[in-house]
Amino acid sequence: MATQKGILPIEGTLGGVNFYYRKGKAVARKAGGGFNGKAIKTKSSMVRVRENSSEFGNCSKVKSAFRIALSPFLNYYKDGTLHGRMMCLFQEIKKFDHSSMRGSRTVGNGILTAEGMNLFKNFAFTPKCNIAIMVPMNVNYDSTSCTYDVVDFDISLVSFPKSATHLELQFGVLGVDFETPFYKLFMAAPLALEKGIEVDGFTMIPDILPDSGLHRFAFVGVTFYQELNGMKYSLKEDGTVGIKCIL
């Protein structure tokens, strides 16, 4: 790549050389060897590029929709890798769409397979806060009534961070129609538990349930807090915010 010098910088192709602007500077390079919009759209040799682009776009839209819908769980979660990890997740999930031709495979079809759902359910949204380890719970979940029931709970088994005085539990069911598309999170009232309190069990149910025609994805979230002068402050260090898909 060369930098143009002269009174009248050139734009376009001349004598087998492309002249254009890059980062505000006039540059030149030998023509050919790159892609252009027309070639990608029309050339038979670019069919794989078109297919990948279409499926990548679908994954990106689904990723963004899930990320926005799950924001109540992730308000205090800071992780620059989450975007990329979710994109990788959904690109793997769409491969399980065996009912569509390559280039038309979607996350919506892939995630409804047993393999796709298993991949999604086991995804570590918050790898530094594994809820099953941090907050051990004996859970019974009824997907029909969206009832999250915890029995024989022992708060002494919770791994409270050093400065934490409280644990807040959240539960919600994400209703999704991939075709419309429609994504809405139906939340239960949060439950705050003080360190050392005795609680045998509890039940959490969304105030409003998703329509029966929507695909349902249930999530549980945890956030650790410190109480100072009667005010609760969410902790900022790693491992103090967690979210997990339970179905």
Side-chain angles (χ1 to χ4, degrees), residues 11 20 25 57 76 78 83 88 199:
E11 288 187 74
Y20 59 99
K25 294 183 178 181
Y76 301 109
K78 306 298 181 185
H83 163 81
C88 291
V199 179

Side-chain angles (χ1 to χ4, degrees), residues 159-175:
S159 300
F160 278 87
K162 186 176 180 180
S163 58
T165 60
H166 289 75
L167 163 68
E168 182 178 273
L169 288 164
Q170 294 176 294
F171 174 70
V173 179
L174 180 61

